[in-house]
Amino acid sequence: MRSDVVKKGMDKAPHRSLLKALGLTDEEIRRPLIGIVNSQNEVVPGHIHLDRIAEAVKAGVRMAGGTPLEFPTIGVCDGIAMGHIGMKYSLASRELIADSIESMALAHGFDALVLIPNCDKIVPAMLMAAARLDIPAIVISGGPMLSLQKGDNYLDLNSVFEAVGAVNAGNMKEEELDMIENNACPGCGSCSGMFTANSMNCLTEALGMALPGNGTIPAVYAERIRLAKMTGMKIMELLEKDIKPSDILTPEAFENALAVDMALGCSTNSVLHLPAIAHEAGVKINLEKVNEISARTPNLCKLAPAGPYHVQDLYHAGGVQAVMKELSKKQLLHPYLITVAGKTVEENIKDAYVRNHDVIRPIDNPYSSTGGIAVLKGNLAPDGAVVKRSAVAEEMLVHRGPARVFESEDAAIQAIRSGQIVKGDVVVIRYEGPKGGPGMREMLSPTSTICGMGLDKDVALITDGRFSGATRGASIGHISPEAMEGGPIAIVRDGDIISINIPEGKLDVELAPEEIENRLKAWKAPEPKVKKGYLARYAKLVTSASTGAVLKG
């Protein structure tokens, strides 16, 4: 056993003495030591209940003959961090979490890991750590928050952001905003739409690193506790068979995840996180691969923010496995890959079926013949940009308009709320990329304000930053190279005409090549926004969004 390095032999008596100080018996020490990585805290609604998930996992481990030892990681709530300096730390925390898990796992000689995330960066961070360590590992998330109906609508976090925009535009009274605020987030779980957290939890299931049901069983259902117990038992089977992440996280597994990504219409952040996880697994995913799979994979679901349904509806319609079953009908999956269930993809989906074709469209009647995410390229984004195509109004799939340029998200929000943005404009927010931000902030505040003001069918927004999975509209992010690295977005001026053609995958500024070249020659990088602390170090090491914003070296 790997844990023998901390417990076996006479010379490990001091180590055993310390383990006994924890209250462990000789029998418990002799058993495999299973690290239970718990991101529970009292800040993040998606994580506040993870103590219950961890207890269930530990029960499962003990039932199957292992000794569970729990340790924590940090977790940032993107919603609470949104719209201020806190959002600079969200993406950057992904690397901190992965590094902390590596440190704890190797320092203490764990035989295997059970990873318990729920929100945004924590899910990919734990998968990155699993791939890097390559010891038996399995993921069990905390599950999605419920969406409750108030009046004619089911509410979610994005409802509140958009209501703020509606009040600013004079389209809603503050009393209605107060009602939405009090009902949009009814309890524990990851925010209820197909936002980044739920996207990544569903894709973890599609990758084969979590048991069926991981992505969609609501947080408050007893079934989630039973799944956690099964996960604790299953890690012992993975350990016995020595099934490691490298056996599961193959190139074909990432292709399966991308296919499910396109069918579900997941968050654009998945195009940051899947390449980062793949990087740790020694697999290369680039934007060309994303586009290739998007071109052949139909979009089967319109979950919030793209449509009226939430993850609880996806669960009742058959979940991720039912989506995969539909994709398999057109041979859009690799069926023979092993998963943490100890079964192949084909075996996992054998009995799955769609229970509600309003939520999961049949493969022969999709919302569109191509996937929910599109990659755009052009002279404004030579290395690519990303848009959640499934959440863009038909009128905005092709758009041409004058640039309104802002050097930060904060300046753009002020201009939008003060009525300076008009129909036809293309809002350009730059110096918000991984290096320039630093930290590549999500921009739900400006996009939701635009939507709340009723301009989402008339105004586009492009940025070298990124968007929340809750964002809808013609919001194009991840523009690479970013402004801080001298990408063409750095030389766009107010009034320059921006041309967007999402069906053709094009994003251009209507300038002659010589003019672009001359402006780039005259460009000088601004002073870094942050000059000390973790973010300053992060900015020096982080790579482009087009490569997953992983760290150099």
Side-chain angles (χ1 to χ4, degrees):
M1 288 188 288
R2 294 173 181 85
S3 59
D4 286 348
V5 298
V6 298
K7 67 183 186 184
K8 189 173 183 179
M10 185 181 66
D11 61 336
K12 295 301 187 295
H15 303 64
R16 292 192 296 275
S17 178
L18 290 167
L19 292 171
K20 288 179 179 180
L22 302 176
L24 296 183
T25 65
D26 285 325
E27 172 61 26
E28 287 174 302
I29 293 170
R30 279 193 291 270
R31 293 178 179 184
L33 302 184
I34 311 300
I36 311 299
V37 190
N38 189 2
S39 54
Q40 192 272 342
N41 63 48
E42 294 184 351
V43 180
V44 186
H47 291 229
I48 194 166
H49 64 304
L50 296 188
D51 52 347
R52 290 195 65 209
I53 300 294
E55 286 304 316
V57 167
K58 288 188 281 188
V61 169
R62 292 188 184 104
M63 283 190 284
T67 297
L69 295 171
E70 182 180 342
F71 65 89
T73 67
I74 63 168
V76 171
C77 177
D78 280 23
I80 296 173
M82 195 75 65
H84 58 92
I85 191 173
M87 182 45 70
K88 294 179 183 288
Y89 286 89
S90 173
L91 180 61
S93 72
R94 188 184 70 182
E95 271 54 38
L96 283 175
I97 294 165
D99 290 350
S100 70
I101 294 170
E102 174 195 348
S103 301
M104 287 293 290
L106 294 181
H108 300 101
F110 290 116
D111 293 297
L113 296 176
V114 180
L115 304 153
I116 310 176
N118 211 26
C119 292
D120 291 86
K121 308 312 148 308
I122 300 96
V123 183
M126 289 191 173
L127 286 167
M128 289 165 69
R132 186 188 303 172
L133 290 163
D134 202 28
I135 63 175
I138 189 170
V139 175
I140 170 67
S141 77
M145 187 184 292
L146 293 177
S147 172
L148 302 183
Q149 185 176 13
K150 287 292 178 180
D152 295 331
N153 300 312
Y154 280 84
L155 301 177
D156 55 51
L157 178 65
N158 198 34
S159 305
V160 194
F161 277 96
E162 293 193 6
V164 171
V167 171
N168 282 327
N171 298 329
M172 181 184 289
K173 294 181 179 180
E174 286 193 41
E175 291 79 9
E176 188 174 354
L177 169 60
D178 188 57
M179 181 279 291
I180 294 171
E181 174 188 330
N182 285 321
N183 292 281
C185 299
C188 66
S190 48
C191 294
S192 56
M194 190 51 71
F195 310 151
T196 304
N198 288 324
S199 294
M200 292 311 303
N201 283 322
C202 287
L203 296 182
T204 301
E205 189 177 329
L207 278 169
M209 284 296 293
L211 296 178
N214 176 75
T216 59
I217 298 170
V220 295
Y221 284 17
E223 187 180 355
R224 173 67 54 180
I225 299 298
R226 295 198 297 273
L227 188 72
K229 290 179 181 177
M230 290 167 58
T231 298
M233 297 176 73
K234 188 61 66 174
I235 191 61
M236 299 305 295
E237 181 182 324
L238 294 173
L239 178 60
E240 181 185 356
K241 296 179 179 178
D242 199 27
I243 297 175
K244 302 183 294 295
S246 58
D247 300 312
I248 296 169
L249 295 175
T250 62
E252 293 79 12
F254 284 97
E255 291 185 6
N256 280 357
L258 282 169
V260 173
D261 191 343
M262 299 307 159
L264 286 174
C266 288
S267 164
T268 52
N269 284 314
S270 64
V271 182
L272 269 179
H273 298 318
L274 287 176
I277 299 163
H279 174 76
E280 295 286 357
V283 174
K284 185 174 181 181
I285 293 180
N286 53 31
L287 294 183
E288 284 72 24
K289 174 63 72 174
V290 174
N291 246 1
E292 172 194 323
I293 292 177
S294 180
R296 68 176 185 238
T297 308
N299 178 220
L300 304 181
C301 302
K302 287 241 184 228
L303 302 162
Y309 302 111
H310 291 80
V311 179
Q312 67 202 41
D313 301 305
L314 179 62
Y315 164 75
H316 290 293
V320 173
Q321 301 299 308
V323 173
M324 296 178 76
K325 185 64 171 284
E326 286 298 305
L327 293 174
S328 72
K329 294 176 182 178
K330 295 282 188 180
Q331 290 75 52
L332 293 171
L333 294 177
H334 299 282
Y336 303 119
L337 306 182
I338 191 66
T339 71
V340 291
K343 301 177 181 178
T344 64
V345 170
E346 184 177 56
E347 290 170 329
N348 283 343
I349 66 175
K350 178 171 63 73
D351 297 323
Y353 65 96
V354 177
R355 299 186 180 94
N356 186 336
H357 281 295
D358 291 330
V359 178
I360 304 172
R361 286 277 188 94
I363 194 74
D364 293 320
N365 183 31
Y367 284 104
S368 67
S369 60
T370 56
I373 292 176
V375 174
L376 313 182
K377 287 194 173 184
N379 65 11
L380 193 51
D383 293 341
V386 181
V387 63
K388 189 167 184 172
R389 174 181 176 150
S390 59
V392 179
E394 192 72 26
E395 301 94 314
M396 290 298 291
L397 290 173
V398 178
H399 181 75
R400 180 177 177 273
R404 296 297 311 280
V405 182
F406 301 94
E407 309 300 323
S408 70
E409 177 190 13
D410 311 87
I413 292 171
Q414 185 177 355
I416 295 166
R417 289 179 178 168
S418 61
Q420 297 176 41
I421 304 303
V422 298
K423 291 183 178 183
D425 283 348
V426 178
V427 177
V428 178
I429 304 177
R430 63 191 179 197
Y431 297 106
E432 290 286 6
K435 190 179 295 292
M440 202 179 184
R441 286 195 284 183
E442 285 186 346
M443 300 194 189
L444 183 54
S445 293
T447 58
S448 58
T449 302
I450 287 171
C451 291
M453 295 172 73
L455 293 172
D456 57 301
K457 296 181 180 179
D458 302 286
V459 171
L461 194 155
I462 67 174
T463 181
D464 54 5
R466 63 195 178 93
F467 297 110
S468 165
T471 292
R472 62 185 176 95
S475 302
I476 300 165
H478 306 199
I479 288 180
S480 302
E482 64 173 288
M484 197 66 176
E485 293 195 320
I489 191 175
I491 54 87
V492 175
R493 298 173 183 168
D494 275 343
D496 288 345
I497 300 300
I498 306 292
S499 175
I500 300 166
N501 192 318
I502 294 174
E504 294 184 7
K506 294 180 180 178
L507 178 63
D508 293 289
V509 56
E510 295 183 7
L511 295 174
E514 312 85 68
E515 176 64 16
I516 294 175
E517 185 179 350
N518 289 336
R519 290 190 192 182
L520 286 172
K521 284 180 181 177
W523 173 82
K524 291 183 179 178
E527 282 288 307
K529 294 176 184 175
V530 179
K531 297 180 181 179
K532 63 180 181 180
Y534 174 58
L535 285 178
R537 297 195 302 275
Y538 178 84
K540 291 176 182 176
L541 294 172
V542 70
T543 61
S544 169
S546 63
T547 55
V550 297
L551 300 186
K552 298 172 187 172

